[in-house]
Amino acid sequence: MAINVLEKRALKGAVGFVLLSLALVAFATWGLGINVANCIPLGTKPYEEASVVKHSGNFYEVHYVTRMWAFEPSVLRVPTGSTLDISAISKDVQHGLEIAGTNLNLMVVPGAIANGRVTFNKPGVYSMVCHEYCGKGHQGMAARIEVVDGLADFAVEGLPSSPGMKLLDAKGCLACHSTDGTAGVGPTFQNAWGQPVHLTNGTTRTLDADFFSAKVLHPNDTTVDGFAPMMPEIQVTPAELKQMEEYLKELKK
Ligand code: HEC
Ligand SMILES: [Cu+2]
């Protein structure tokens, strides 16, 4: 029995439609480069701090922390061809994490880990922006990923600070002492370690472990020339002093 011309047409149309749908799915999967990272097993403890871990080849695991109004890390530099498995958590409210020029667009909800994967095949500067209104500093909430040809190793800026820096912050030292060279109530800590310190009594000391602990434990015994004697006595343990020292040494450039 011959198939009616109209039936033939309908069949062709149906088959064509199915093929078109399959092609679209294939295009969405490979063509657009949408790549869904693996799920995080239930019970995984969310991380507390941002970090970047390099796995084999050009594969990186990047843990972003979002908070009002910053991304940590703020700058990540990787070689061209790198694949980044990106996770993000929020320390406060809901944020967004979008990397311009890629398909990565995450909603970062407090208490959960958002995930995505991107491969950067073209060198350039990719800006990361928050696309969820998150308060008055929202406009300025941005970071970037720099993809560079022939880069030997990755580099990162704006990661959470060392234990020493946290201590200086927690003890209030950074209210009077800067770490970037800017003038404050007290001398800056940048490039200070190992340098001579001129005192008002006419003597000169070197900022070493001895003078550091003496100054912190008995701030009023000596006064740095050119500054007001207004450093308060702050309780710190010998172990804490040691951690602070380690950090001050890092600030030497
Ligand atoms: C209220 C402000 C204030 C705070 C808080 C403060 N300092 Fe100071 N600090 C000063 C001032 C002012 C001087 C310089 C005058 C002097 O010697 O007293 C100074 C001097 C110093 C020096 C002398 C050497 C130098 O050139 O850097 C050290 C070391 C120091 N502070 C470490 C600390 C540490 C560590 C803390 C936290 C535990 C701290 N300060 C907290 C104000 C402060
Ligand atoms: Cu935000």
Side-chain angles (χ1 to χ4, degrees), residues 66-71 92-96 129-135 137-139 141:
T66 64
R67 59 170 84 238
M68 290 179 210
W69 290 282
F71 292 99
D92 38 50
V93 300
Q94 185 165 320
H95 294 283
V129 291
C130 175
H131 59 72
E132 273 295 312
Y133 182 74
C134 58
H138 170 71
Q139 292 304 323
M141 185 166 166

Short mmCIF file of all heavy atoms in Angstrom, two decimals, residues 66-71 92-96 129-135 137-139 141, ligand 2:
data_model
loop_
_atom_site.label_atom_id
_atom_site.label_comp_id
_atom_site.label_asym_id
_atom_site.label_seq_id
_atom_site.Cartn_x
_atom_site.Cartn_y
_atom_site.Cartn_z
N THR A 66 32.87 35.27 48.68
CA THR A 66 32.26 36.56 48.37
C THR A 66 31.79 37.17 49.68
O THR A 66 31.38 36.46 50.60
CB THR A 66 31.05 36.42 47.43
OG1 THR A 66 30.02 35.68 48.10
CG2 THR A 66 31.43 35.67 46.15
N ARG A 67 31.92 38.46 49.77
CA ARG A 67 31.46 39.18 50.96
C ARG A 67 31.19 40.62 50.53
O ARG A 67 31.64 41.05 49.48
CB ARG A 67 32.51 39.14 52.07
CG ARG A 67 33.86 39.75 51.65
CD ARG A 67 34.79 39.92 52.82
NE ARG A 67 35.53 38.71 53.13
CZ ARG A 67 35.48 38.11 54.31
NH1 ARG A 67 34.72 38.58 55.26
NH2 ARG A 67 36.21 37.04 54.54
N MET A 68 30.47 41.36 51.37
CA MET A 68 30.26 42.77 51.04
C MET A 68 31.60 43.48 51.15
O MET A 68 32.15 43.55 52.24
CB MET A 68 29.31 43.41 52.04
CG MET A 68 27.87 42.95 51.93
SD MET A 68 27.03 43.85 53.23
CE MET A 68 25.76 42.74 53.65
N TRP A 69 32.21 44.00 50.17
CA TRP A 69 31.82 44.01 48.78
C TRP A 69 33.07 43.64 48.00
O TRP A 69 33.68 44.47 47.35
CB TRP A 69 31.30 45.40 48.39
CG TRP A 69 29.96 45.67 49.02
CD1 TRP A 69 28.75 45.18 48.61
CD2 TRP A 69 29.67 46.48 50.19
NE1 TRP A 69 27.73 45.62 49.44
CE2 TRP A 69 28.28 46.42 50.40
CE3 TRP A 69 30.46 47.21 51.05
CZ2 TRP A 69 27.66 47.08 51.46
CZ3 TRP A 69 29.85 47.87 52.11
CH2 TRP A 69 28.45 47.80 52.30
N ALA A 70 33.42 42.39 48.12
CA ALA A 70 34.66 41.95 47.48
C ALA A 70 34.63 40.46 47.17
O ALA A 70 33.85 39.70 47.75
CB ALA A 70 35.84 42.25 48.39
N PHE A 71 35.48 40.10 46.22
CA PHE A 71 35.74 38.69 45.93
C PHE A 71 37.14 38.38 46.45
O PHE A 71 38.06 39.16 46.26
CB PHE A 71 35.74 38.42 44.42
CG PHE A 71 34.40 38.56 43.75
CD1 PHE A 71 34.08 39.72 43.07
CD2 PHE A 71 33.49 37.52 43.80
CE1 PHE A 71 32.85 39.85 42.43
CE2 PHE A 71 32.26 37.64 43.17
CZ PHE A 71 31.94 38.80 42.49
N ASP A 92 28.16 36.58 53.85
CA ASP A 92 27.09 37.42 54.39
C ASP A 92 25.79 37.25 53.59
O ASP A 92 25.05 36.32 53.85
CB ASP A 92 27.53 38.89 54.48
CG ASP A 92 28.39 39.33 53.30
OD1 ASP A 92 27.97 39.09 52.15
OD2 ASP A 92 29.46 39.92 53.53
N VAL A 93 25.55 38.11 52.63
CA VAL A 93 24.27 38.06 51.92
C VAL A 93 24.45 37.34 50.58
O VAL A 93 25.53 36.87 50.27
CB VAL A 93 23.74 39.49 51.67
CG1 VAL A 93 23.54 40.21 52.98
CG2 VAL A 93 24.68 40.27 50.77
N GLN A 94 23.37 37.30 49.81
CA GLN A 94 23.45 36.66 48.51
C GLN A 94 24.22 37.51 47.51
O GLN A 94 23.99 38.70 47.41
CB GLN A 94 22.03 36.43 48.01
CG GLN A 94 21.97 35.65 46.72
CD GLN A 94 20.56 35.15 46.47
OE1 GLN A 94 19.87 34.72 47.38
NE2 GLN A 94 20.14 35.22 45.23
N HIS A 95 25.16 36.88 46.82
CA HIS A 95 25.93 37.57 45.80
C HIS A 95 25.82 36.80 44.49
O HIS A 95 25.35 35.66 44.46
CB HIS A 95 27.41 37.67 46.18
CG HIS A 95 27.67 38.52 47.38
ND1 HIS A 95 27.66 39.89 47.34
CD2 HIS A 95 27.95 38.19 48.67
CE1 HIS A 95 27.93 40.36 48.56
NE2 HIS A 95 28.10 39.35 49.38
N GLY A 96 26.29 37.42 43.43
CA GLY A 96 26.37 36.74 42.15
C GLY A 96 27.82 36.71 41.73
O GLY A 96 28.63 37.53 42.14
N VAL A 129 32.15 40.05 38.05
CA VAL A 129 31.29 41.03 38.70
C VAL A 129 30.20 40.34 39.51
O VAL A 129 29.87 39.19 39.28
CB VAL A 129 30.61 41.97 37.66
CG1 VAL A 129 31.64 42.87 37.02
CG2 VAL A 129 29.88 41.16 36.60
N CYS A 130 29.70 41.09 40.48
CA CYS A 130 28.58 40.60 41.28
C CYS A 130 27.32 41.08 40.58
O CYS A 130 27.17 42.25 40.29
CB CYS A 130 28.66 41.16 42.70
SG CYS A 130 27.23 40.72 43.69
N HIS A 131 26.41 40.16 40.29
CA HIS A 131 25.19 40.56 39.58
C HIS A 131 23.96 40.48 40.47
O HIS A 131 22.84 40.44 40.00
CB HIS A 131 25.00 39.72 38.32
CG HIS A 131 24.92 38.24 38.60
ND1 HIS A 131 23.83 37.67 39.18
CD2 HIS A 131 25.81 37.26 38.40
CE1 HIS A 131 24.05 36.38 39.32
NE2 HIS A 131 25.25 36.10 38.86
N GLU A 132 24.18 40.40 41.78
CA GLU A 132 23.06 40.43 42.72
C GLU A 132 23.21 41.68 43.55
O GLU A 132 24.25 41.86 44.18
CB GLU A 132 23.14 39.23 43.68
CG GLU A 132 22.49 37.97 43.17
CD GLU A 132 21.00 38.13 43.03
OE1 GLU A 132 20.34 38.63 43.97
OE2 GLU A 132 20.49 37.79 41.96
N TYR A 133 22.19 42.52 43.57
CA TYR A 133 22.34 43.74 44.35
C TYR A 133 22.56 43.36 45.81
O TYR A 133 21.78 42.61 46.40
CB TYR A 133 21.10 44.64 44.23
CG TYR A 133 21.32 45.90 45.02
CD1 TYR A 133 22.17 46.89 44.53
CD2 TYR A 133 20.73 46.08 46.26
CE1 TYR A 133 22.43 48.02 45.27
CE2 TYR A 133 20.98 47.21 47.01
CZ TYR A 133 21.83 48.18 46.51
OH TYR A 133 22.09 49.29 47.25
N CYS A 134 23.68 43.84 46.39
CA CYS A 134 24.05 43.37 47.73
C CYS A 134 24.41 44.51 48.69
O CYS A 134 25.15 44.33 49.63
CB CYS A 134 25.20 42.36 47.64
SG CYS A 134 26.67 43.01 46.83
N GLY A 135 23.88 45.69 48.42
CA GLY A 135 24.14 46.78 49.35
C GLY A 135 24.86 47.93 48.69
O GLY A 135 25.09 47.91 47.48
N GLY A 137 27.84 49.00 48.46
CA GLY A 137 29.12 48.85 47.78
C GLY A 137 29.04 47.93 46.58
O GLY A 137 30.06 47.58 45.98
N HIS A 138 27.81 47.52 46.23
CA HIS A 138 27.62 46.54 45.16
C HIS A 138 28.32 46.92 43.85
O HIS A 138 28.94 46.08 43.21
CB HIS A 138 26.12 46.34 44.93
CG HIS A 138 25.80 45.55 43.72
ND1 HIS A 138 26.03 44.21 43.64
CD2 HIS A 138 25.29 45.93 42.52
CE1 HIS A 138 25.65 43.79 42.44
NE2 HIS A 138 25.21 44.80 41.75
N GLN A 139 28.19 48.20 43.48
CA GLN A 139 28.77 48.66 42.20
C GLN A 139 30.25 48.35 42.09
O GLN A 139 30.76 48.08 41.02
CB GLN A 139 28.58 50.18 42.04
CG GLN A 139 27.15 50.61 41.85
CD GLN A 139 26.50 49.93 40.68
OE1 GLN A 139 27.14 49.70 39.66
NE2 GLN A 139 25.23 49.58 40.82
N MET A 141 31.87 45.91 43.55
CA MET A 141 32.24 44.53 43.86
C MET A 141 32.69 43.82 42.60
O MET A 141 31.88 43.39 41.78
CB MET A 141 31.05 43.80 44.50
CG MET A 141 31.42 42.41 44.95
SD MET A 141 30.18 41.73 46.05
CE MET A 141 30.66 40.00 46.02
CU CU B 2 27.64 41.22 45.85
#
